[in-house]
């Protein structure tokens, strides 16, 4: 089970350069010796425990407006307390000799693996995420030499700002490579954020790995569908949004995206969407934006049925 709680990135926002610094440092430490990996992992887990316990303590000072808010707050405290317990178990396993593994390349996030427990290194407080990165980088670099690495990072940051002889990266180019993330707030259900504006709200935090797989499958297929619709428009085909539907193809030959009342269709591989068939207003709104080249953020609620349907996308 991968524990993904809060993120230092907002939907559609840009990557925090200090978070980039943490990722780059973690990637370097991942290739270092056991001592360096132990110290980095110990420091990161300790700082995470500090932030989550601080967030729990502050939750007792928050005003509660209704009985529903009170129930949500209780659930949030329960989930967060369980997560802190898991972090402490990982820290104890590390102290007992478990060898830590550090992954900072596959998702653009720092993921620690200790005793079979993978944990994303991100603060539970969006406003404090930079502080967490600074504490980890600063703490580690007081123990080990980081001068050359940090100097190269500063130079890269200068390149992104532009200047004579420098290249400016395309805004959002790196953002597309990031995986989604989980957010747990006391006054709403657990949410999974994709990096292009689809937000999934679930009833409870159980089976997060399965829920994440289902959400990511829907995101992948929505991206494929959006590209297919853009291509259709560019080649002169019209889309009647009132008749847009995704259905299983005949003889199991992919799926069909019906474009209009006459039944003109695209053939694509969209197994999950084919079983959903009728797209919700939120998904249609997102598609409208994507087809026109705009970033649209929509919230998808009551998506528990994705768990039953997601097997069709595997």
């Amino acid at each position: 089970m991968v524990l993904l709680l809060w993120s230092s990135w907002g939907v559609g926002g840009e990557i925090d350069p200090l978070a980039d610094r943490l990722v780059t440092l973690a990637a370097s430490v991942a290739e270092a010796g056991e001592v360096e990996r132990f110290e980095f992992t110990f420091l990161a887990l300790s700082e995470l425990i500090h932030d989550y316990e601080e967030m729990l303590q502050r939750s007792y000072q928050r005003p509660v407006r209704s009985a529903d808010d009170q129930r949500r707050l209780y659930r949030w405290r329960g989930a967060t307390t369980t997560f802190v317990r898991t972090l402490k178990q990982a820290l104890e396993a590390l102290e007992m000799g478990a060898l830590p593994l550090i992954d900072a390349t596959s998702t653009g996030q720092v993921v620690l693996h200790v005793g079979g427990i993978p944990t994303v290194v991100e603060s539970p407080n969006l406003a404090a995420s930079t502080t967490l990165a600074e504490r980890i980088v600063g703490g580690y670099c007081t123990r080990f030499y980081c001068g050359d690495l940090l100097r190269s990072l500063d130079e890269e940051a200068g390149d992104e700002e532009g200047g004579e002889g420098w290249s400016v990266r395309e805004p959002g180019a790196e953002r597309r490579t990031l995986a989604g993330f989980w957010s747990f707030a006391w006054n709403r259900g657990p949410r999974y954020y994709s990096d292009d504006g689809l937000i999934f709200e679930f009833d409870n935090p159980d089976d997060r790995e399965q829920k994440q797989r289902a959400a990511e499958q829907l995101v992948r297929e929505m991206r494929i569908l959006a590209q297919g619709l853009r291509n259709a428009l560019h080649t002169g085909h019209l889309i009647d949004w009132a008749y847009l539907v995704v259905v299983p193809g005949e003889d199991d030959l992919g799926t069909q995206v019906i474009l209009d009342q006459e039944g003109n269709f695209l053939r694509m591989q969209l197994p999950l969407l084919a079983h959903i068939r009728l797209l919700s207003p939120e998904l249609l709104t997102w598609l409208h934006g994507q087809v026109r080249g705009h970033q649209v953020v929509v919230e998808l609620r009551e998506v528990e049925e994705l768990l039953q349907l997601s097997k069709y996308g595997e």
Side-chain angles (χ1 to χ4, degrees), residues 136-149:
I136 296 173
V137 172
Y140 180 85
C141 292
T142 59
R143 297 173 173 83
F144 301 92
Y145 178 72
C146 303
D148 294 338
L149 178 65

Side-chain angles (χ1 to χ4, degrees), residues 208-272:
R208 284 197 299 273
E209 187 174 358
Q210 184 181 1
K211 290 174 179 176
Q212 180 174 334
R213 286 200 304 269
E216 289 175 344
Q217 179 61 30
L218 182 60
V219 170
R220 284 193 292 270
E221 292 192 14
M222 288 294 291
R223 288 176 177 174
I224 294 171
L225 176 56
Q227 184 61 55
L229 294 178
R230 282 193 294 268
N231 292 342
L233 286 174
H234 290 161
T235 55
H237 297 283
L238 298 178
I239 300 173
D240 189 338
W241 294 92
Y243 290 92
L244 184 68
V245 64
V246 184
V247 299
E250 298 178 359
D251 300 324
D252 296 325
L253 295 176
T255 55
Q256 294 181 358
V257 180
I258 309 301
L259 300 178
D260 51 37
Q261 189 175 10
E262 287 71 35
N264 294 309
F265 66 91
L266 303 173
R267 190 180 298 280
M268 311 178 76
Q269 294 292 334
L270 306 171
L272 178 54

